[in-house]
Amino acid sequence: MTEIRLVVRCESNPMHAKILRILLKEEEKNGIAVRRLFRLIGDVLEGSSMIYIHAPSDKSPIGFCGLCRGKLKCTVQKVEV
Ligand SMILES: [Zn+2]
């Protein structure tokens, strides 16, 4: 199966990292689970993830770390599992 991983890292403290995983359903493989991916990103932006609670800005498109206000970096991986 194919899994999309959204890896969010805090530049100040590696312990604040978070990985959001989306396991693609068979019927989604060609169309990609875009809606579910954006819902997870939305959770991060809106703070419902409880970790990344700050609003995004030009300098930090996915906001700041809610634990230490450090800068965040995000990468997206597609992995066969
Ligand atoms: Zn942090």
Side-chain angles (χ1 to χ4, degrees):
M1 296 183 78
T2 303
E3 183 178 273
I4 303 276
R5 291 181 189 167
L6 189 69
V7 182
V8 183
R9 289 191 176 89
C10 171
E11 289 188 347
S12 301
N13 189 333
M15 296 295 287
H16 298 167
K18 178 163 187 161
I19 301 177
L20 304 174
R21 301 168 191 271
I22 304 174
L23 202 55
L24 296 188
K25 294 172 187 167
E26 198 59 41
E27 66 271 18
E28 290 176 323
K29 281 209 170 173
N30 293 326
I32 303 264
V34 175
R35 188 176 299 175
R36 286 199 291 138
L37 180 61
F38 277 102
R39 193 166 64 218
L40 282 177
I41 294 172
D43 286 346
V44 171
L45 294 179
E46 292 165 10
S48 57
S49 69
M50 303 299 287
I51 295 182
Y52 305 111
I53 59 174
H54 299 284
S57 70
D58 290 344
K59 289 182 180 175
S60 182
I62 56 168
F64 293 95
C65 177
L67 297 174
C68 72
R69 298 186 72 86
K71 277 190 199 170
L72 300 180
K73 277 194 172 175
C74 182
T75 55
V76 179
Q77 303 168 346
K78 196 171 179 182
V79 182
E80 291 299 325
V81 292

